[in-house]
Amino acid sequence: MEGSPIPVLTVPTAPYEDQRPAGGGGLRRPTGLFEGQRNYLPNFIQSVLSSIDLRDRQGCTMVVGSDGRYFSRTAIEIVVQMAAANGIGRLIIGQNGILSTPAVSCIIRKIKAAGGIILTASHCPGGPGGEFGVKFNVANGGPAPDVVSDKIYQISKTIEEYAICPDLRIDLSRLGRQEFDLENKFKPFRVEIVDPVDIYLNLLRTIFDFHAIKSLLTGPSQLKIRIDAMHGVMGPYVRKVLCDELGAPANSAINCVPLEDFGGQHPDPNLTYATTLLEAMKGGEYGFGAAFDADGDRYMILGQNGFFVSPSDSLAIIAANLSCIPYFRQMGVRGFGRSMPTSMALDRVAKSMKVPVYETPAGWRFFSNLMDSGRCNLCGEESFGTGSDHLREKDGLWAVLVWLSIIAARKQSVEEIVRDHWAKFGRHYYCRFDYEGLDPKTTYYIMRDLEALVTDKSFIGQQFAVGSHVYSVAKTDSFEYVDPVDGTVTKKQGLRIIFSDASRLIFRLSSSSGVRATLRLYAESYERDPSGHDQEPQAVLSPLIAIALKISQIHERTGRRGPTVIT
């Protein structure tokens, strides 16, 4: 803290109409928009900061992190300069700007911060031609609820100026405290650069039996693992937790250097994009494989020979084996949460354990109230996200450690654990079909017409014959959610068709990006008979998919021949 006080400037600006957070306080757009449009990023950051009541904002602590994608360092500098000018007293930032989304949630809760800003576009590609995003987490460590997102959007539509300290410069590489004297401020502004892994690792140590996991990874019957960080934020976490702390060989971890463009790949842990891991697992050398998305909240599990564990199955299997985790043995199991599109495999486990299941709209923010109120302590979504009440975010590395704990306790392979689960509870065949990059108007009219069709009373009881299969419609609705904690109602969260055999079709618009639209189609069918558990999901679900395409006319109305991604 040297020289004259740093000036605080007020810069005139004009609003943009497209800065509505897409859910959870997040704005995700092409990187070029943030980089090239005048004041596009400062406008949104000011809207976020102004959404915090002035009394709560003055002198408070906030957490800032990124997944390391292109434009993150520039954006962090702007966030720091604006936080200082807006009265924030202290910022906690990961070294080199790196902090996973779960780590941000962890630190917010640990130090009782007012909230956090995460610079990530999740699983979307990076680089100058990719996407960039800004996400706001509130004081409980979770994504901003809709009421906060709405407030941010309203401010963004009328913004006339923003406050900034353009001369303030920080060194993101140097661990420790940096202080700055600002004009007209009684107290110095403080920035603390922290190791991105340490605080989060300390939390994990209180949840898991690290000795048991280390024995699994290093003992005489060592489980060989392959972990793909996909050049996102998780590289330092994988190396420090799984290799340094738990003893996995250094060559177990691949793609662990965070890159601004993620090596030119989609940092999306699924069978479409995590092909490097999939090919390695198919060779049979490794017994356990996992991949993470760019910001570390999503994950994929593979067994030996590339055996794929669907996210919905993973959630149900974790629920059925929580007794393997010291945290749950101590805390007990109060209830489960799943997003509506997620398969109902979790519900069968919950019924056997006599605990409730809360069915919410897609989006992790809907689980926060449930966990804060003590109603549930395990939640998950079909979009490769699972977590518990240790945080208020989904947590990819936590889920991997749960799986390793289950393997250590049961002394079975991934495939054996999954097949035992199917034998006990039955198998839920499940697929999601994403039609990405669609014209928003086209998708609006598809959903409007589809809603009119399926919610008409005459649709109930209709039968659809596809080959030897006959499906009878038992129930339809446009899903709406009433929060059991505060009574908040969230409407139009997807169209559901439930057939008499409990098969389901779901149609939903994704709100993750505001430029082009993504229409998602989900199909689910249940098979109790173990002799029917070895079929390919798409083959089993093809009659349902044929029905969905017939009634929605997706291909005809979009000009597409098929989905962009199938998971």
Side-chain angles (χ1 to χ4, degrees):
M1 203 164 56
E2 302 175 357
S4 303
I6 297 172
V8 178
L9 304 184
T10 300
V11 180
T13 190
Y16 289 94
E17 289 296 317
D18 67 340
Q19 293 197 332
R20 177 189 289 277
L27 181 71
R28 194 181 302 171
R29 296 287 185 269
T31 306
L33 197 61
F34 280 101
E35 196 173 24
Q37 289 275 27
R38 180 179 174 83
N39 295 336
Y40 196 83
L41 177 62
N43 274 22
F44 189 70
I45 297 300
Q46 185 64 59
S47 300
V48 167
L49 295 172
S50 296
S51 74
I52 306 170
D53 289 342
L54 186 60
R55 287 176 299 179
D56 297 328
R57 189 167 79 231
Q58 294 301 313
C60 77
T61 297
M62 292 188 70
V63 182
V64 177
S66 81
D67 61 14
R69 70 180 56 230
Y70 176 79
F71 192 59
S72 290
R73 282 181 170 268
T74 300
I76 288 173
E77 187 171 81
I78 292 170
V79 169
V80 172
Q81 293 169 347
M82 293 186 66
N86 278 273
I88 305 299
R90 178 174 68 145
L91 289 182
I92 308 296
I93 307 176
Q95 188 177 26
N96 298 315
I98 293 291
L99 272 181
S100 72
T101 291
V104 170
S105 181
C106 171
I107 296 172
I108 290 172
R109 294 173 64 78
K110 174 71 174 178
I111 67 173
K112 296 181 170 56
I117 292 175
I118 312 171
L119 304 171
T120 177
S122 188
H123 55 286
C124 296
E131 294 206 13
F132 190 80
V134 183
K135 185 167 177 276
F136 178 49
N137 280 29
V138 293
N140 72 352
D146 287 349
V147 64
V148 174
S149 294
D150 290 343
K151 185 176 182 181
I152 293 170
Y153 179 51
Q154 293 306 319
I155 294 169
S156 79
K157 291 196 298 183
T158 57
I159 190 170
E160 296 180 346
E161 61 186 26
Y162 63 87
I164 191 168
C165 298
D167 296 335
L168 195 157
R169 297 287 185 271
I170 62 168
D171 183 354
L172 286 173
S173 66
R174 179 165 58 90
L175 291 171
R177 179 184 300 182
Q178 303 169 42
E179 291 192 345
F180 305 88
D181 191 15
L182 309 181
E183 279 185 356
N184 303 319
K185 302 289 183 182
F186 296 111
K187 293 184 178 180
F189 172 68
R190 193 164 75 197
V191 173
E192 292 180 25
I193 307 299
V194 300
D195 183 284
V197 184
D198 283 351
I199 298 174
Y200 172 71
L201 171 56
N202 286 335
L203 175 63
L204 294 179
R205 288 191 182 109
T206 70
I207 296 171
F208 296 100
D209 181 347
F210 270 26
H211 176 74
I213 301 174
K214 189 168 186 176
S215 296
L216 176 73
L217 300 180
T218 62
S221 302
Q222 173 191 355
L223 175 70
K224 294 192 70 173
I225 66 173
R226 191 75 161 172
I227 309 296
D228 189 349
M230 302 190 82
H231 289 304
V233 77
M234 289 305 292
Y237 295 83
V238 169
R239 290 202 180 281
K240 196 161 191 174
V241 179
L242 288 170
C243 299
D244 297 347
E245 184 84 9
L246 294 172
N251 61 6
S252 302
I254 60 172
N255 298 324
C256 282
V257 177
L259 297 177
E260 289 191 336
D261 66 347
F262 310 115
Q265 304 300 312
H266 276 66
D268 196 353
N270 58 41
L271 296 176
T272 301
Y273 296 119
T275 51
T276 301
L277 176 67
L278 180 60
E279 290 308 310
M281 294 303 297
K282 282 181 177 179
E285 179 182 354
Y286 303 98
F288 178 88
F292 302 104
D293 73 339
D295 65 321
D297 58 357
R298 300 172 195 247
Y299 71 103
M300 177 179 70
I301 301 295
L302 294 175
Q304 195 168 23
N305 303 314
F307 183 86
F308 173 64
V309 184
S310 77
S312 293
D313 275 346
S314 180
L315 173 62
I317 290 164
I318 288 173
N321 289 277
L322 288 177
S323 61
C324 298
I325 315 301
Y327 177 85
F328 287 97
R329 290 201 298 269
Q330 179 183 348
M331 303 296 291
V333 179
R334 294 186 293 276
F336 302 139
R338 66 165 176 84
S339 63
M340 181 273 287
T342 302
S343 97
M344 298 179 71
L346 179 67
D347 302 51
R348 296 185 186 276
V349 176
K351 185 177 180 181
S352 74
M353 296 174 66
K354 296 181 170 57
V355 298
V357 174
Y358 298 89
E359 187 178 41
T360 72
W364 204 260
R365 63 195 183 278
F366 293 103
F367 296 135
S368 290
N369 261 7
L370 298 172
M371 290 190 282
D372 285 348
S373 66
R375 282 171 166 79
C376 70
N377 50 356
L378 174 71
C379 301
E381 299 186 300
E382 50 72 34
S383 52
F384 295 84
T386 310
S388 83
D389 61 349
H390 69 293
L391 300 177
R392 293 298 180 269
E393 280 283 4
K394 46 188 178 281
D395 188 347
L397 185 51
W398 173 90
V400 166
L401 293 178
V402 171
W403 265 95
L404 291 174
S405 300
I406 294 169
I407 293 168
R410 295 185 52 161
K411 297 178 173 54
Q412 292 178 295
S413 69
V414 170
E415 184 170 350
E416 287 169 341
I417 290 167
V418 173
R419 291 194 179 281
D420 277 3
H421 184 88
W422 290 343
K424 182 176 180 180
F425 294 102
R427 181 176 182 183
H428 287 256
Y429 284 98
Y430 183 90
C431 269
R432 185 183 93 187
F433 300 81
D434 292 359
Y435 292 83
E436 298 175 333
L438 299 177
D439 174 59
K441 284 186 177 180
T442 300
T443 57
Y444 167 80
Y445 287 120
I446 289 173
M447 290 296 288
R448 184 199 65 178
D449 296 346
L450 192 56
E451 181 174 359
L453 173 70
V454 304
T455 58
D456 189 283
K457 290 181 180 179
S458 64
F459 196 74
I460 303 296
Q462 278 201 32
Q463 293 190 332
F464 294 88
V466 182
S468 60
H469 299 269
V470 178
Y471 294 89
S472 179
V473 177
K475 178 185 175 182
T476 65
D477 66 5
S478 174
F479 181 68
E480 68 176 52
Y481 175 64
V482 180
D483 190 304
V485 180
D486 60 20
T488 302
V489 179
T490 308
K491 298 184 176 181
K492 290 189 174 295
Q493 294 300 303
L495 300 174
R496 293 190 294 184
I497 303 172
I498 302 171
F499 297 94
S500 57
D501 66 350
S503 297
R504 296 195 305 165
L505 283 174
I506 297 165
F507 300 85
R508 190 177 74 84
L509 282 178
S510 171
S511 59
S512 55
S513 178
V515 180
R516 303 293 287 175
T518 296
L519 181 59
R520 294 196 164 120
L521 161 62
Y522 310 80
E524 178 180 7
S525 182
Y526 177 66
E527 178 58 69
R528 185 70 188 91
D529 186 352
S531 67
H533 289 172
D534 281 324
Q535 304 173 75
E536 282 296 318
Q538 288 188 55
V540 173
L541 297 168
S542 60
L544 284 170
I545 296 160
I547 295 169
L549 295 177
K550 178 181 179 181
I551 63 175
S552 65
Q553 299 288 292
I554 292 175
H555 292 174
E556 292 82 354
R557 297 180 70 167
T558 63
R560 298 288 179 88
R561 293 184 177 181
T564 317
V565 180
I566 301 173
T567 55

